[in-house]
Each structure stands twice: as C-alpha cells, then as structure tokens.
Amino acid sequence: MQLPGHVGLVLLVVSPVWFGLVTREAVGVTLLALLTAMLPDVDLVLEAFLPIEHHGVTHGVWFVLAVGLLLGGLVTWWYVSGGRRHFRPGSDARHLPARTVFAVTASAFVLGGTTHILGDMLTAPDVAPPIRPLLPLSDAVVSFDVLWVYDPVVNFGLLALGLLVHLALWRLAPNGTTLSRVRGSTGRGSRRG
C-alpha cells in the first residue's frame, strides 16, 4: 500500500473516536494516529545505515508498540512539564490527568502504526517481502494479498473515503459535543453540548 492508502486506512480505522470524544479531541487523536501512519516504513531510511530489510522488524507490532509507548510518554512528559499552558483558556485539556494523556496519545500512536501494518498485510507480498508482524519473537508470515500495492483506485479511494467519513463526522458533531450525545438527542429543542 502506498502513502495515500495508508493515510486513508488510518482515517477509517480511527473514525470511531468521533463517537466518544468532543470535536477538538477527536481531531487531535486523528492527527496523532496520522503521525505514525507511515512509522513502519522508517526501515526504508534505516536500511541504508543498519542491517535491516523492508517489511522487517519495523513492520512488527512490538516495534510499533514500543515506539507508540515512547511517543506517548514524551507527549505526557511535555504536557505535565508545562505544555498544557499552550491550550487555550477554558479548555478542558488543561485538567486531564497525566495517565489519561498517556493512554490516549500512546493508543493513537500505536493505532496509526498497526493500521499501517494491516494495510501492508492486505497488499504484500506482490512486490515486497511478506509481513512478519510478530518479529522478532516469531518469523511467521501474515499476508492476505487481496490488493495490489500500486493500485491508484485502492490507494486514492481509501484516502477519499477516509477524508469523506471524517468530514461527515465533523459536520455532524456540533463543536464541543460528541456524536454519541447527538445520536441520543431527540431532535428539535434538544439541548446541545
């Protein structure tokens, strides 16, 4: 899968956050997941300096989990060290416990990276080595091989669908309200927020 497909797949997988988080938080979690959407492909850069191969250890869930936890820890450290003052006045984010910040950010980072691995399992091994998602603990190959890596319809179709889903969810969620609250409303005259 190529960059547009990976981004679109992450957008689709993370879209349920709109049902449990307020608008600003849903956008934040989506952006964090997108930051790691291409994380496993860091091997394409590292293979010039280290004895690793594409679709190797960086395409494993253990690598993504370790990096996601590390990034979540860094964001949490930034937040408790004064980063929260960058949130605008009146923002609920200033009052989140550190463990909540860690859980949400680490989960978003891990979700982005593991979704990348899933995307590659859908396309590999037609032009690249197969995915071994449990490296280094297991050498087992997991490949569904149902899509072609370079198919522009798949790659740009996933991107378009992911963007459309998020745009629709953003339009449905009044600012400061979760979609689960909107769904539970009775229509005209219902309270907002």
Side-chain angles (χ1 to χ4, degrees), residues 1 9 117-127 131 142-151 153-155 158:
M1 190 167 287
L9 190 58
I117 296 169
L118 172 64
D120 281 352
M121 289 189 310
L122 293 172
T123 57
D126 50 359
V127 296
I131 304 296
V142 179
S143 176
F144 303 111
D145 200 18
V146 294
L147 303 171
W148 183 52
V149 169
Y150 298 112
D151 187 344
V153 173
V154 169
N155 284 291
L158 282 170

Side-chain angles (χ1 to χ4, degrees), residues 21 24 90 95 129:
L21 300 175
R24 186 174 47 244
H95 307 293

Side-chain angles (χ1 to χ4, degrees), residues 81 102 118 137 186:
S81 298
F102 177 75
L118 172 64
L137 301 180
T186 58

Side-chain angles (χ1 to χ4, degrees), residues 42-52:
V42 70
D43 58 8
L44 294 171
V45 175
L46 294 177
E47 67 186 358
F49 309 102
L50 300 171
I52 61 172

Side-chain angles (χ1 to χ4, degrees), residues 3-13 34 155 158-163:
L3 175 63
H6 282 300
V7 169
L9 190 58
V10 168
L11 287 172
L12 290 171
V13 168
L34 287 172
N155 284 291
L158 282 170
L159 178 60
L161 184 60
L163 289 171

Side-chain angles (χ1 to χ4, degrees), residues 69-154:
L69 292 174
L70 175 67
L71 292 174
L74 288 173
V75 170
T76 304
W77 172 79
W78 169 81
Y79 177 81
V80 299
S81 298
R84 66 177 150 244
R85 72 177 180 273
H86 297 291
F87 292 101
R88 67 180 188 215
S91 169
D92 290 338
R94 294 182 301 139
H95 307 293
L96 291 174
R99 68 179 175 275
T100 301
V101 173
F102 177 75
V104 170
T105 58
S107 296
F109 288 132
V110 170
L111 184 63
T114 53
T115 302
H116 178 104
I117 296 169
L118 172 64
D120 281 352
M121 289 189 310
L122 293 172
T123 57
D126 50 359
V127 296
I131 304 296
R132 295 168 292 166
L134 298 177
L135 277 178
L137 301 180
S138 171
D139 207 25
V141 170
V142 179
S143 176
F144 303 111
D145 200 18
V146 294
L147 303 171
W148 183 52
V149 169
Y150 298 112
D151 187 344
V153 173
V154 169

